[in-house]
Amino acid sequence: MIRDITIGQYYAANSLIHRLDARLKVVAVMIYIITLFCIGSVAAYGLAIVALAAVVVSSKVPLRFMLRGIQSIFLIIVLTGIINVFTNKTGVPLWGRDWYLITTGGLSMAGMIILRLMMLIIASSLLTLTTTPIQLTDGIEYLLKPFGKIGVPYHEIAMMMTIALRFIPTLLDETDKIMKAQQARGADFETGNLMQRAKALVPILVPLFISAFRRAEELATAMEARCYRGGAHRTKMNQMAFGTADYGATALCVVFLLAEAVLSIWL
Amino acid sequence: MSITINHVTHIYNPGTAMAKTALDDVSMEFRDGEFIGLIGHTGSGKSTLIQHLNALLKPTSGEILLNGENIHQDKKRLKEIRQRVGLVFQYPEHQLFEMTVYKDVAYGPTNLGLSLEEIDRRVREALEVVGMGEETYEKSPFELSGGQKRRVAIAGILAMQPEVLVLDEPTAGLDPKGRDEILDAVQEMHRRLGLLVVLVSHSMEDVARLADRIFVMHQGKVAFSGTPKEVFSHAKELEQIGLAAPQVSYILEGLRQKGFSIPKDLYTIEEAAKAISDCLQGTKP
Ligand SMILES: Nc1ncnc2c1ncn2[C@@H]1O[C@H](COP(=O)(O)OP(=O)(O)O)[C@@H](O)[C@H]1O
Ligand SMILES: [Mg+2]
C-alpha cells in the first residue's frame, strides 16, 4: 500500500557503515556517482561493482531494501534502456532496419546505462538506509557551510530537510487514513477514466493540504514557543567527530578513486 | 443486521521487521439493534478491529460475517458493504473537503449513484438527526465549531443510510458540551433509526450509560465482555490493563466503606445520584 514508499528510510543496524561520519558518507556517495559517469572500461565497472557490493555487505542492510528503490523507478530504467537501444546505431547490425535497427553498440550502450542507473540508486539508497535523517542533515549542513559566505542559508536548508524528512511518514499515514475515510463514504479510486480518477483525488488532496498546513502552523508555533531563531550561535547536541574508522574509510575512497583512474585510462 | 467476528487475526506489515500483530484471534458477535461499547487502552487494536467491519482491512486469518455472509466473498460488493456498515473514523472532521456543509454530506449518497431528490432527502434527514439546522447548509464546513464539524462528518455517513453505525472515539478532543451533543446525537440515531451501533470509547462513563454490552480489548485480544455491570465488576483487573470502572463507582465504593448503605453495581451518574439521595433520605427522614 501507500506505506511501502521508502523515501529516506533508515534501516537500523549496527554496522561499520552505519557508524561512519555522515559528512564522509555524503561526499563518498557524490564521488562514487561522479565516478560512475566518468569511467568507461569494463574493468573499471567491475571494480565499481565490487566496491559497491563490499559496502552493501558490510552495511548489514538486506538487499531487498535497496532493490525497493530500484522498483520505484523501474519504468524510467526500462524506458531509458529502450531509447538507448534504438538511438545508438554503432557496431554490428543485428535485427530490423531504419529506425528500429538494433545493433551491438546500441545493446551494450543500453546495458551500460541501465547498470549505471541501478548502481546509482543502490549507492544513494545506501546513504539514506545507513544514516539517520538527523545525521544526514547535520552532515549536509556542515558541507554547505562554506557557501554561507555567498549567502546560502545553509542552516535553514538543513532545517527544512530535517522537517520534510520527519513529516514524510506522518503525511503517508495521514493519506492512508483519509483514503480509508473517503472509501467508507463510497469513494472509488480504482475504476473510471482518467478524468474521473483525477476528480476522485480531490476528496483526498483537500483534507491532506489542510492538515499539512495545520501541522506546519502548529510546528512553527511550537518552535517559536521554544525561542527558536535560526542558525546563528546554535550548538549541537551531538558534535560530529572524525574517528579512526572514518580516516580508514577516507583512505579506501582515495585508493578506489586512483584505481578507477588507472583502470579507465590504461585499460 | 448482525455481525459475527470469527477468530480474526490481523498482522500489519507481515513478513517484515515491522510486523505487528494488532488483533489476535478475536471473536465477537453483535446482534441487530444492539448498542455495543468497545473499550481498551491506546494500541489495543480497537481501530484495527472496526476497520474490518466494512472491509477496509482484510483479516490475516479468520472471517467477518454480515448476516451470516462473509464480507470478502465478492469483491464487487465492497461498495455495498461500505454503505451498509457506516464507519465514522476518529477525528472525522479531518475528512471534510467540500465548499459547503450540504455538499459534503451529499458526497456519500452521490457516490452511491442515487437520484438528486433522494440525495436531497437523505442529506436533510441526516443533518436533522445530528442537530444541524438549515441555516448551516450553505456554510463552509471549516467555519464551524469543532463539535459541529464532527456532527457534519457523522451526518456524511448517516446520509448513506447504513444498517450499522460504527464510531471510533467520536468524543475525542471535544469539550464537555461538544461531547454531550455528539453522544446525544448517537443515542438519538440508535433510538430513532434502530441501528446496530458500535461505539469505540475511552470514557467508561459514556459506555456505561449507553451500551447494552461491552467488549474490553487488551493487546489485540478480548479481555472481558458482557453487560456493563458484568464488565465493571472486574474493576481490579480493568485497572491492571490501564482502564478503570466509571468514576462514580469509586465514589460509591468510598461511601460504602464509610458505612453508608448504598447498593453495589451502580455505574452511571443518574443511578448514583438516585442511590445517594435515597440513602440520605433513609438516614435523615
Ligand atoms: N497502519 C498501521 N500499520 C502498522 N501498524 C499499525 C497500523 N495501525 C495500527 N497499528 C498498530 O496496531 C496496534 C493497534 O492499533 P489500533 O488498532 O490503532 O489501536 P487503538 O485504536 O485501540 O488505539 C498498535 O500497536 C498500532 O501501533
Ligand atoms: Mg484508535
Side-chain angles (χ1 to χ4, degrees):
Chain A
M1 276 233 7
I2 196 137
R3 278 171 163 263
D4 298 336
I5 303 173
T6 60
I7 315 157
Q9 200 191 46
Y10 176 67
Y11 181 91
N14 186 12
S15 80
L16 183 66
I17 307 291
H18 281 77
R19 269 174 275 135
L20 287 182
D21 194 295
R23 293 167 291 183
L24 171 62
K25 284 194 267 189
V26 172
V27 173
V29 167
M30 268 165 38
I31 290 177
Y32 185 80
I33 289 174
I34 294 170
T35 312
L36 278 183
F37 283 92
C38 296
I39 55 180
S41 71
V42 176
Y45 266 102
L47 177 63
I49 292 175
V50 170
L52 187 60
V55 178
V56 168
V57 170
S58 50
S59 76
K60 294 187 186 164
V61 179
L63 194 62
R64 67 192 153 85
F65 278 86
M66 280 158 242
L67 297 183
R68 234 187 253 173
I70 291 182
Q71 227 173 38
S72 58
I73 65 151
F74 188 70
L75 197 68
I76 297 177
I77 294 180
V78 169
L79 274 181
T80 319
I82 291 175
I83 290 172
N84 271 284
V85 167
F86 288 111
T87 50
N88 188 312
K89 307 285 188 205
T90 58
V92 188
L94 289 177
W95 183 83
R97 60 198 175 84
D98 297 340
W99 67 268
Y100 58 92
L101 178 71
I102 295 179
T103 65
T104 49
L107 280 183
S108 69
M109 187 67 181
M112 196 98 107
I113 297 245
I114 289 179
L115 189 67
R116 200 184 267 169
L117 271 178
M118 289 188 7
M119 288 162 75
L120 190 152
I121 289 172
I122 292 181
S124 39
S125 47
L126 251 181
L127 178 65
T128 50
L129 282 165
T130 63
T131 319
T132 62
I134 297 289
Q135 289 173 335
L136 195 61
T137 45
D138 272 1
I140 290 174
E141 180 177 356
Y142 183 91
L143 293 172
L144 285 178
K145 231 176 208 169
F147 298 100
K149 292 216 173 63
I150 56 165
V152 176
Y154 59 91
H155 173 79
E156 283 71 17
I157 291 176
M159 186 48 117
M160 284 192 286
M161 283 177 54
T162 311
I163 294 175
L165 285 172
R166 156 68 185 78
F167 276 99
I168 287 173
T170 313
L171 287 180
L172 287 180
D173 265 2
E174 191 97 3
T175 314
D176 198 35
K177 236 183 248 162
I178 295 171
M179 275 175 77
K180 279 183 180 164
Q182 305 299 25
Q183 276 174 322
R185 294 209 274 167
D188 184 353
F189 310 120
E190 271 121 44
T191 57
N193 59 33
L194 202 64
M195 194 62 197
Q196 286 165 326
R197 282 194 201 201
K199 257 178 101 177
L201 288 181
V202 173
I204 301 175
L205 292 181
V206 173
L208 194 62
F209 270 93
I210 291 173
S211 110
F213 283 120
R214 187 181 55 235
R215 278 180 201 283
E217 201 170 313
E218 282 169 4
L219 182 69
T221 311
M223 284 166 79
E224 265 173 10
R226 289 166 176 75
C227 303
Y228 175 82
R229 50 216 305 273
H233 310 303
R234 277 181 79 81
T235 52
K236 294 211 183 307
M237 188 166 103
N238 296 309
Q239 292 290 336
M240 289 176 290
F242 240 55
T244 331
D246 297 306
Y247 288 113
T250 312
L252 278 180
C253 287
V254 173
V255 170
F256 170 78
L257 261 185
L258 290 177
E260 286 289 8
V262 169
L263 289 176
S264 301
I265 295 167
W266 281 289
L267 285 176
Chain B
M1 163 99 73
S2 68
I3 299 182
T4 310
I5 300 165
N6 241 343
H7 300 288
V8 165
T9 296
H10 188 88
I11 303 174
Y12 283 110
N13 310 312
T16 71
M18 288 142 338
K20 164 90 201 169
T21 307
L23 293 178
D24 187 359
D25 193 20
V26 171
S27 295
M28 296 180 183
E29 181 151 11
F30 308 149
R31 294 182 286 265
D32 200 13
E34 267 190 314
F35 198 121
I36 301 288
L38 192 60
I39 53 184
H41 205 265
T42 311
S44 58
K46 308 178 297 286
S47 300
T48 305
L49 178 69
I50 60 171
Q51 286 171 44
H52 281 85
L53 302 183
N54 70 345
L56 281 173
L57 290 178
K58 205 171 172 177
T60 309
S61 70
E63 53 180 11
I64 314 278
L65 309 177
L66 286 191
N67 285 340
E69 257 183 274
N70 190 332
I71 58 172
H72 286 285
Q73 216 162 44
D74 186 0
K75 257 199 138 175
K76 295 199 193 68
R77 290 182 50 198
L78 280 185
K79 218 174 191 173
E80 182 204 321
I81 283 159
R82 289 182 187 152
Q83 179 264 313
R84 292 172 68 188
V85 181
L87 173 56
V88 180
F89 271 78
Q90 198 169 3
Y91 298 109
E93 61 274 23
H94 291 176
Q95 82 207 20
L96 300 174
F97 70 99
E98 271 290 6
M99 306 290 283
T100 68
V101 166
Y102 182 94
K103 279 191 195 160
D104 206 284
V105 177
Y107 177 67
T110 309
N111 282 333
L112 297 180
L114 301 170
S115 71
L116 280 179
E117 297 89 67
E118 177 67 9
I119 293 175
D120 183 66
R121 197 183 61 73
R122 288 190 179 192
V123 170
R124 284 170 191 279
E125 189 179 305
L127 281 169
E128 199 230 305
V129 172
V130 298
M132 296 295 291
E134 208 152 321
E135 71 284 357
T136 60
Y137 286 9
E138 292 308 314
K139 276 194 182 165
S140 160
F142 302 103
E143 56 185 84
L144 303 175
S145 77
Q148 285 178 320
K149 273 189 206 165
R150 196 164 291 184
R151 280 186 283 151
V152 170
I154 294 176
I157 297 291
L158 273 188
M160 298 177 67
Q161 297 201 336
E163 297 161 50
V164 182
L165 185 66
V166 186
L167 302 116
D168 195 353
E169 309 211 15
T171 58
L174 289 184
D175 54 14
K177 182 164 166 284
R179 204 194 66 190
D180 287 344
E181 285 170 359
I182 295 281
L183 289 178
D184 287 347
V186 171
Q187 207 172 9
E188 169 79 7
M189 291 168 224
H190 178 63
R191 246 199 322 253
R192 211 161 100 180
L193 310 173
L195 298 177
L196 162 57
V197 174
V198 179
L199 177 73
V200 175
S201 180
H202 259 107
S203 159
M204 301 302 146
E205 278 70 26
D206 300 346
V207 180
R209 184 158 64 90
L210 298 169
D212 302 320
R213 279 197 303 144
I214 296 178
F215 290 86
V216 181
M217 307 261 314
H218 180 55
Q219 295 182 349
K221 291 192 171 75
V222 181
F224 300 102
S225 66
T227 63
K229 286 194 192 337
E230 284 163 12
V231 168
F232 292 134
S233 64
H234 298 284
K236 279 268 151 17
E237 293 97 320
L238 286 176
E239 278 163 32
Q240 271 163 14
I241 59 176
L243 300 168
Q247 281 169 358
V248 285
S249 67
Y250 291 92
I251 295 177
L252 295 185
E253 180 61 29
L255 287 173
R256 266 197 299 278
Q257 278 172 9
K258 287 222 153 44
F260 292 92
S261 72
I262 287 174
K264 282 193 161 195
D265 297 340
L266 301 181
Y267 299 102
T268 69
I269 293 180
E270 289 77 20
E271 287 173 340
K274 185 167 174 302
I276 292 175
S277 100
D278 284 353
C279 173
L280 289 181
Q281 273 159 10
T283 49
K284 277 188 271 168

